[in-house]
């Protein structure tokens, strides 16, 4: 029986990169998406194809849910229970930028609430649901090693004053990682934060020219855009239990952007 991974925001960008790498490892997948059904279907097909290149056969499903809504979170976990009857890896990847970038002196409460509901509250409480089920699975089979991953951002530590709500949400997610890591260690459930840097996705299209210039000037020691598969490979390492004595750990996937340099 294949292990099972649930990936939120799994239809595009980093979520797609993660899904494809897990498919190569033989994970059955639930790809959660909020609205873009066609993108989710395309990712599903790409995952099945990627698995076949490694002579693996997987089952992949898509499920529409807005993780900011409690009922949707419950429906998502219930779907995984019915369809797969197990959960080995939860990847909290879903996230949104503010609809309009505004200086924090002008930003609105509405934008703050929208971003934090999806980026922070959603994964906080989805993880609560998943963790309870993972604990029950461990009680039934102590040999199981379920894992939880939070995809945050370099914005958890780097201030961008024109999208403060996004930075706050990612900084909060970093603490959520620590909280669940501390709480779940006794059950053998390791929890990780992956902190991407400048990754080439739809989210950065409006500022691509700006980051092209910064990358060429050496904002990060590795002078290239990050790719969704770079983040996917980090999740794959966790999925393979290659970090068994680490929990609450931050894995930077940012080309060295976080390094303080003179």
């Amino acid at each position: 029986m294949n292990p099972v991974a649930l990936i939120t925001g799994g239809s595009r960008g980093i979520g797609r990169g993660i899904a494809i790498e897990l498919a190569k490892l033989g994970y059955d997948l639930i790809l959660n998406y909020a609205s873009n059904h066609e993108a989710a279907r395309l990712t599903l097909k790409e995952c099945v194809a990627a698995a076949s290149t490694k002579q693996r056969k997987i089952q992949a499903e898509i499920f529409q849910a807005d993780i900011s809504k409690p009922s949707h979170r419950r429906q998502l976990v219930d779907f995984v229970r019915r369809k797969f009857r197990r959960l080995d890896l939860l990847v909290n990847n879903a996230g949104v930028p503010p609809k309009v970038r505004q200086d924090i002196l002008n930003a609105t409460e509405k934008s703050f609430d929208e971003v934090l509901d999806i980026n922070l509250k959603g994964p906080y409480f989805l993880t609560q649901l998943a963790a309870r089920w993972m604990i029950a699975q461990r009680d039934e089979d102590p040999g199981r090693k379920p894992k939880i991953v939070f995809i945050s951002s370099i914005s958890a530590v780097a201030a961008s004053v024109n999208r403060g709500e996004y930075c706050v949400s990612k900084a909060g997610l970093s603490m959520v990682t620590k909280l669940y890591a501390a709480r779940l260690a006794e059950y053998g459930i390791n929890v990780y934060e992956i902190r991407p840097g400048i990754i080439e996705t739809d989210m950065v299209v409006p500022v691509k020219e700006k980051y092209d210039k910064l990358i060429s000037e050496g904002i990060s020691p590795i002078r290239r855009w990050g790719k969704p598969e770079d983040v996917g490979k980090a999740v794959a390492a966790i999925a393979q239990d290659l970090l068994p004595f680490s929990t609450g750990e931050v894995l930077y996937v940012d080309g060295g952007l976080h390094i303080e340099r003179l």
Side-chain angles (χ1 to χ4, degrees), residues 172-237:
L173 206 58
S174 185
M175 176 52 71
V176 171
T177 302
K178 295 179 177 66
L179 289 166
Y180 275 110
R183 184 65 182 90
L184 298 177
E186 66 180 280
Y187 301 104
I189 301 171
N190 288 2
V191 184
Y192 306 87
E193 175 189 353
I194 294 179
R195 196 174 285 174
I198 304 169
I199 308 296
E200 197 168 20
T201 67
D202 294 349
M203 188 181 293
V204 298
V205 168
V207 290
K208 187 176 187 305
E209 187 175 331
K210 168 189 173 182
Y211 283 119
D212 281 340
K213 184 174 185 294
L214 289 172
I215 291 168
S216 69
E217 292 173 348
I219 190 173
S220 57
I222 300 176
R223 296 192 184 192
R224 70 165 174 85
W225 280 88
K227 303 292 185 181
E229 55 264 35
D230 292 319
V231 182
K233 291 178 190 303
V235 176

Side-chain angles (χ1 to χ4, degrees), residues 45-66:
K45 291 179 181 178
E46 290 183 359
C47 288
V48 173
S52 67
T53 65
K54 300 293 183 180
Q55 289 77 52
R56 298 182 184 276
K57 185 176 181 179
I58 67 165
Q59 182 179 359
E61 301 282 348
I62 63 174
F63 192 89
Q64 185 175 16
D66 178 350

Side-chain angles (χ1 to χ4, degrees), residues 7-163:
I7 305 166
T8 66
S11 64
R12 297 180 299 160
I14 288 175
R16 180 178 288 174
I18 293 168
I20 289 171
E21 295 302 321
L22 292 178
K24 293 176 184 177
L25 296 178
Y27 267 75
D28 287 342
L29 301 170
I30 305 92
L31 307 176
N32 157 248
Y33 69 101
S35 59
N36 195 329
H37 180 82
E38 288 305 313
R41 293 293 302 174
L42 176 60
T43 299
L44 184 151
K45 291 179 181 178
E46 290 183 359
C47 288
V48 173
S52 67
T53 65
K54 300 293 183 180
Q55 289 77 52
R56 298 182 184 276
K57 185 176 181 179
I58 67 165
Q59 182 179 359
E61 301 282 348
I62 63 174
F63 192 89
Q64 185 175 16
D66 178 350
I67 64 164
S68 70
K69 298 178 179 178
S71 62
H72 285 216
R73 293 192 294 267
R74 289 192 296 270
Q75 290 165 14
L76 177 57
V77 174
D78 287 345
F79 175 79
V80 182
R81 283 179 181 270
R82 292 194 311 271
K83 197 71 182 182
F84 294 96
R85 297 189 297 278
R86 64 184 289 163
L87 180 60
D88 301 275
L89 175 63
L90 169 62
V91 182
N92 288 290
N93 170 69
V96 297
K99 291 176 181 176
V100 179
R101 291 180 176 229
Q102 288 186 304
D103 186 284
I104 58 173
L105 298 180
N106 301 313
T108 66
E109 288 192 37
K110 180 181 178 183
S111 178
F112 187 93
D113 290 343
E114 287 175 348
V115 171
L116 266 75
D117 279 354
I118 295 171
N119 293 9
L120 184 56
K121 188 176 79 171
Y124 184 96
F125 285 104
L126 179 62
T127 298
Q128 183 187 76
L129 290 174
R132 290 171 177 169
W133 184 21
M134 287 176 170
I135 291 169
Q137 291 176 91
R138 282 273 300 175
D139 289 342
E140 295 172 2
D141 180 4
R144 297 277 289 280
K145 295 181 179 180
K147 299 170 183 64
I148 297 169
V149 175
F150 293 91
I151 307 298
S152 68
S153 167
I154 194 67
S155 294
V157 292
S160 296
V161 297
N162 63 343
R163 52 179 188 144

